[in-house]
Amino acid sequence: MDFELTEFQAELAEGMRRLCAGQFPLEQVRLPESTERVVDRAGWRQLGDAGVFNLCLAEEAGGVGMGLAEAALVFEELGRALLPGPLVASHLAAGLIDGADDGSVVVGLVERPDPARPEAAGVVPVIIEHLGDLDVLLLLSDAGVASVDPASLDATRLKRPMDPLTPVWVVPGLPEGTPVAGPEIAAWWRRDGAVLTAALQIGMAAWTTELAVEYAKQRRQFGRPIGGFQAIKHLCADMAVRTEVARCAVHAAAVTVDQPEVGDALVAVAGAKLLSDEAAVANGRSCIQVHGGMGFTWEVPAHLAYKRARVLATQFGTEGALAESLAESLAESGRGVR
Amino acid sequence: MDLRYTDAEQAFRGELRSWLETTLPGLPPKPSPHDWPGRRAYDTHWQRLLSDAGYAGIDWPVEGGGRGSSPVEELIFKEELERARAPYVGVNFVGLLHAGPTIIAEGTSEQRRRFLAPILQGDEVWCQGFSEPDAGSDLASMRTRGVRAGDDYVVTGSKIWTSHAEVADYCELLVRTGADDSRHRGISWLILPMDTPGVEIRPLTTIAGSTEFAELFLDEVRVPVANRVGEENDGWRVTMVTLSFERGTAFVGDLLEAIELLSSAVTLAQRTGAWSDPGVRRQAGHLRAELDALWALTKRNVSQAARTGIPGVGGTFFKLAYSETRQKLGEFSLALLGRAGLAADDIEGLDGEGPLPAETMVEDWLRGISLTIAAGTSQIQRNIVGERILGLPKEPVATTGAAREPARQRT
Ligand SMILES: Cc1cc2nc3c(=O)[nH]c(=O)nc-3n(C[C@H](O)[C@H](O)[C@H](O)COP(=O)(O)OP(=O)(O)OC[C@H]3O[C@@H](n4cnc5c(N)ncnc54)[C@H](O)[C@@H]3O)c2cc1C
């Protein structure tokens, strides 16, 4: 047992961090804020060349043949860079939708409300992220995955997206679409999608911690850096602890998917998503607080991470459902995992 | 990142498991938590069994008489003991986790010969005399004096919160041998035989109703200079050295116990009907996620220690997060007990399914409260994370002239 990153894994993460810092600096990432399209096509291709989408695709299928653990490390870095766009969906679609793997085709995904349970859909109509950027939209349900031409939808763009880098559309309903995969694939997409989304969240949680700490060292009030005040220092400490605990959960979930004999992957994944959603949201919030009035400005990027965390918390399992599924596992097994 | 155990690790687990299976049924019944001589006898007997089987000091270096196992084997060791519900380290805690490792690292060969084997074999019990009434979080302000008189130090002062003092043979004692304001630069680490004249023990009752710790009054107690570990005035560093033995496994048993406790809480909720409340189920789900994540963090910390030989920062993260999760679990269980939690007695349930587990749950809830206080409070741990890990400015220290010492972090 060695739960540390291998040298290769550390280099992979490091390389992705360098790529993001060099190619996708925040000033550039922020350029399309509040517009209809946030995916930079050339950048998306670059991500494709770097293996972001085909990392887990088998080598025979033209992929890199890595495990979910490696993908999680890569997505952590994408999260840290606040990279927008349907990253997780395009990664999942690699191998299934032509061109998803190398980034030449941008694929989005939305959960299809279960037609058998109309009440489950509630009152909220279907909201689709990034529709303007998509070449292909996939509909995910227990039954499988279906593909839809985004242009065929009668969609209305919402004028005031909560996250300025996640434009959203509302549609009155969804067509059947063309089936592209069955229930088995749908199940593993839900699982892997949750892990990769969780990885984006911990990347952001780590980034907001750094942003807050940096500011706390430099901003002075009462004649000293505000980071010297415990009220601020302890907020930062809690951010660091939350991030690290959630990060271990995400890594363990990814490894458990790759090495099924070590535990119950679904339980590990649910816990990881739950804690990383919490960490990203709470850290986003704390990061704003540490910045004081500056934190409430559009300019300081703390709000971007906070808002993105809220967006991602609605994808691939929400708080209530995740906690319920964990509770169910406790009730079933009568004892915890080890 | 690999969570699979190697063949050698599996073999170690298998061998240990079968030893536990044959050994545990032969143990005497557990003594009452209030019967201190009984607890000492029980814990030291268990330590003797471990020692005879070659499982004592699993994490001690071979030079110190230990097994010198890797941190991963230590993890397996503690996991298997908890899984088999073997006894805890109990009164041997300070000897095995503190005094022993300190003597291995800093003691003379004579001190090692004299003190290590009896700890491993369960013959001698140690306690820790660090905290004082006026020096808790700010340990470096301690005032118990050690005045050199010939071949002895004459020690006068008082210590407090000394766990297991009543049954201890020796105390690892910090005394001030430097100037009054020398702080961390004027402290020495002494081995105090508890039967020395002038040592008075006054047990203190905890909120759980037990006399888990005590006050020590030291009135001109003569401690031989030969009992000093490390140089005079170098006791602070000597104390810190012990920390380098901590390889992330100190809480393995506790954590796995917490996972068990969560299961019993769920069983209780199912019995009482509370399980049909989504709020209750979600709380349970959250606790499970947190405990599983802490188990993953433990594996991360252990792996780091296995690679580098030194503990990383993960131990501080663990202590902060674990103590709070454990307290949430305590509150959760107590709420589930409802009015059955008004006494720590296992009263019979009306459902014919046997007693309600009030004893374990009430006591565990109360004991859990100490976790954010003992071994460095959570506030101090946050200072440590903020200052040493994140590099934020340090806390002001009120003393004049004294250099700033590292914040306290100890068991
Ligand atoms: C069950 C138990 C067993 C123990 N066993 C032992 C033992 O065997 N041997 C031994 O030597 N000691 C032992 N201790 C003592 C323990 O280490 C101390 O209680 C602990 O270090 C806190 O010191 P204190 O009690 O003096 O509290 P104080 O230091 O007086 O703290 C009181 C409050 O003030 C806060 N505070 C203090 N300083 C700061 C600061 N700089 N910033 C922010 N907040 C601050 C603390 O967090 C706490 O909330 C034990 C304690 C417990 C509860």
Side-chain angles (χ1 to χ4, degrees):
Chain A
M1 194 277 291
D2 181 2
F3 191 43
E4 271 283 70
L5 275 63
T6 62
E7 207 173 304
F8 170 79
Q9 288 169 335
E11 276 167 16
L12 180 70
E14 184 53 43
M16 191 51 61
R17 185 174 303 193
R18 266 199 313 272
L19 176 82
C20 289
Q23 300 300 313
F24 309 105
L26 191 58
E27 316 83 77
Q28 189 188 317
V29 166
R30 293 191 67 168
L31 287 177
E33 264 173 18
S34 310
T35 64
E36 196 166 342
R37 295 196 170 86
V38 299
V39 173
D40 148 27
R41 288 289 175 147
W44 206 258
R45 285 299 295 260
Q46 266 180 311
L47 292 175
D49 291 342
V52 166
F53 306 118
N54 70 350
L55 200 68
C56 297
L57 197 59
E59 281 174 86
E60 308 87 79
V64 188
M66 297 274 136
L68 193 62
E70 283 75 25
L73 293 171
V74 165
F75 273 66
E76 214 172 307
E77 296 306 326
L78 303 177
R80 164 185 288 277
L82 291 188
L83 234 66
L87 294 158
V88 174
S90 291
H91 175 97
L92 293 173
L96 195 68
I97 302 297
D98 282 345
D101 56 348
D102 64 5
S104 55
V105 166
V106 179
V107 184
L109 180 143
V110 71
E111 186 84 29
R112 180 208 288 281
D114 188 346
R117 296 192 305 138
E119 80 289 353
V123 296
V124 180
V126 175
I127 304 283
I128 305 175
E129 297 93 331
H130 299 297
L131 195 66
D133 280 311
L134 303 184
D135 301 312
V136 177
L137 174 66
L138 298 177
L139 310 177
L140 179 64
S141 70
D142 287 349
V145 184
S147 140
V148 167
D149 173 8
S152 71
L153 293 175
D154 172 23
T156 312
R157 183 161 84 96
L158 299 174
K159 291 192 195 64
R160 305 177 59 205
M162 182 262 279
D163 168 13
L165 289 168
T166 306
V168 284
W169 281 257
V170 61
V171 289
L174 291 169
E176 274 305 302
T178 318
V180 291
E184 227 166 272
I185 297 222
W188 73 251
W189 276 24
R190 284 218 166 98
R191 182 195 65 194
D192 293 8
V195 171
L196 296 177
T197 308
L200 292 172
Q201 294 282 48
I202 54 170
M204 283 200 297
W207 182 71
T208 42
T209 306
E210 284 163 28
L211 198 66
V213 168
E214 220 172 279
Y215 190 74
K217 285 178 186 169
Q218 146 233 314
R219 168 73 176 167
R220 296 176 74 89
Q221 283 295 281
F222 299 96
R224 38 197 286 231
I226 56 166
F229 299 113
Q230 280 191 4
I232 295 296
K233 182 182 292 174
H234 290 191
L235 274 182
C236 294
D238 286 339
M239 291 172 82
V241 174
R242 251 183 236 125
T243 306
E244 208 44 41
V245 172
R247 189 161 186 261
C248 286
V250 173
H251 291 180
V255 173
T256 307
V257 169
D258 291 338
Q259 301 172 351
E261 68 270 35
V262 303
D264 185 333
L266 289 182
V267 170
V269 170
K273 177 71 168 40
L274 186 67
L275 293 186
S276 51
D277 283 349
E278 267 173 16
V281 168
N283 283 11
R285 181 69 194 80
S286 292
C287 187
I288 292 175
Q289 186 65 23
V290 168
H291 281 79
M294 285 301 286
F296 198 66
T297 63
W298 189 270
E299 182 195 340
V300 169
H303 72 111
L304 294 179
Y306 184 40
K307 291 167 175 173
R308 186 75 56 79
R310 285 288 187 194
V311 170
L312 297 182
T314 70
Q315 301 170 354
F316 293 101
T318 54
E319 195 262 345
L322 294 165
E324 273 290 349
S325 81
L326 287 162
E328 218 165 276
S329 76
L330 278 168
E332 274 168 17
S333 64
R335 57 186 292 143
V337 278
R338 291 203 164 167
Chain B
M1 295 187 282
D2 194 343
L3 288 174
R4 294 166 301 194
Y5 291 95
T6 63
D7 289 345
E9 288 161 355
Q10 301 273 35
F12 172 72
R13 188 192 290 279
E15 168 204 308
L16 175 60
R17 197 174 280 186
S18 48
W19 180 77
L20 287 167
E21 269 164 25
T22 53
T23 309
L24 292 180
L27 285 183
K30 258 201 169 104
S32 135
H34 304 286
D35 170 13
W36 277 101
R39 280 175 71 170
R40 177 186 160 124
Y42 184 84
D43 294 349
T44 53
H45 170 63
W46 170 241
Q47 185 57 34
R48 164 65 76 160
L49 293 177
L50 286 172
S51 169
D52 289 348
Y55 291 121
I58 200 102
D59 49 345
W60 283 24
V62 178
E63 315 82 79
R67 199 176 161 112
S69 294
S70 77
V72 177
E73 283 191 1
E74 254 174 84
L75 178 80
I76 295 171
F77 176 73
K78 295 197 167 127
E79 191 186 356
E80 287 302 319
L81 258 61
E82 181 57 35
R83 180 172 272 167
R85 295 169 199 268
Y88 293 116
V89 56
V91 301
N92 301 303
F93 182 88
V94 172
L96 286 170
L97 276 92
H98 250 263
T102 305
I103 291 169
I104 291 170
E106 297 287 326
T108 62
S109 50
E110 180 49 36
Q111 288 166 342
R112 288 190 210 138
R113 235 190 337 271
R114 166 63 191 83
F115 292 107
L116 296 181
I119 293 175
L120 287 180
Q121 291 159 9
D123 291 336
E124 289 176 354
V125 169
W126 285 67
C127 63
Q128 182 190 62
F130 285 11
S131 305
E132 296 183 4
D134 288 333
S137 300
D138 185 14
L139 184 63
S141 69
M142 46 152 286
R143 291 200 304 236
T144 292
R145 268 250 151 240
V147 179
R148 187 81 175 249
D151 289 339
D152 291 335
Y153 286 103
V154 178
V155 177
T156 300
S158 62
K159 294 287 173 179
I160 195 167
W161 320 126
T162 316
S163 303
H164 312 314
E166 282 177 276
V167 292
D169 303 299
Y170 291 93
C171 176
E172 45 170 14
L173 186 71
L174 293 184
V175 298
R176 179 147 315 277
T177 42
D180 285 346
D181 65 352
S182 57
R183 290 185 65 82
H184 63 290
R185 287 176 284 114
I187 292 171
S188 299
W189 201 104
L190 302 183
I191 301 170
L192 165 71
M194 291 295 279
D195 58 3
T196 313
V199 177
E200 194 198 322
I201 302 169
R202 188 184 299 163
L204 292 163
T205 306
T206 70
I207 63 170
S210 65
T211 53
E212 210 71 29
F213 46 35
E215 236 173 323
L216 288 189
F217 297 97
L218 306 166
D219 184 18
E220 303 203 346
V221 176
R222 297 188 85 89
V223 182
V225 171
N227 278 16
R228 190 188 68 222
V229 174
E231 295 302 310
E232 187 166 285
N233 293 333
D234 198 26
W236 186 271
R237 190 193 57 80
V238 169
T239 303
M240 294 297 152
V241 161
T242 314
L243 294 173
S244 62
F245 276 84
E246 167 47 33
R247 299 194 281 181
T249 56
F251 286 95
V252 167
D254 289 63
L255 176 60
L256 296 176
E257 183 199 31
I259 293 174
E260 290 293 327
L261 281 167
L262 176 58
S263 299
S264 11
V266 170
T267 308
L268 176 64
Q270 288 169 323
R271 281 178 71 183
T272 63
W275 196 243
S276 63
D277 175 350
V280 166
R281 289 199 305 270
R282 285 185 188 190
Q283 274 187 66
H286 271 268
L287 284 166
R288 167 144 205 196
E290 288 174 27
L291 292 170
D292 286 353
L294 287 165
W295 186 223
L297 176 59
T298 299
K299 289 178 173 170
R300 171 68 41 91
N301 290 344
V302 163
S303 302
Q304 221 164 55
R307 284 216 199 163
T308 62
I310 44 166
V313 296
T316 311
F317 290 141
F318 183 92
K319 184 177 188 290
L320 266 171
Y322 170 71
S323 49
E324 286 174 14
T325 297
R326 185 74 192 241
Q327 290 179 356
K328 263 191 259 176
L329 173 60
E331 298 282 347
F332 179 64
S333 302
L334 193 72
L336 288 175
L337 280 172
R339 293 178 59 79
L342 298 188
D345 297 294
D346 288 357
I347 50 171
E348 209 53 38
L350 297 178
D351 57 357
E353 298 279 318
L356 300 163
E359 184 180 340
T360 322
M361 287 182 173
V362 171
E363 287 199 344
D364 189 72
W365 162 66
L366 288 171
R367 251 199 318 271
I369 293 169
S370 74
L371 291 173
T372 47
I373 302 168
T377 68
S378 286
Q379 285 72 37
I380 296 301
Q381 302 292 332
R382 287 191 175 91
N383 284 347
I384 291 172
V385 172
E387 294 169 13
R388 280 200 249 158
I389 302 174
L390 303 177
L392 291 168
K394 303 222 154 128
E395 294 295 299
V397 175
T399 45
T400 47
R404 171 76 185 146
E405 70 278 2
R408 175 183 190 198
Q409 182 188 36
R410 61 184 187 78
T411 322

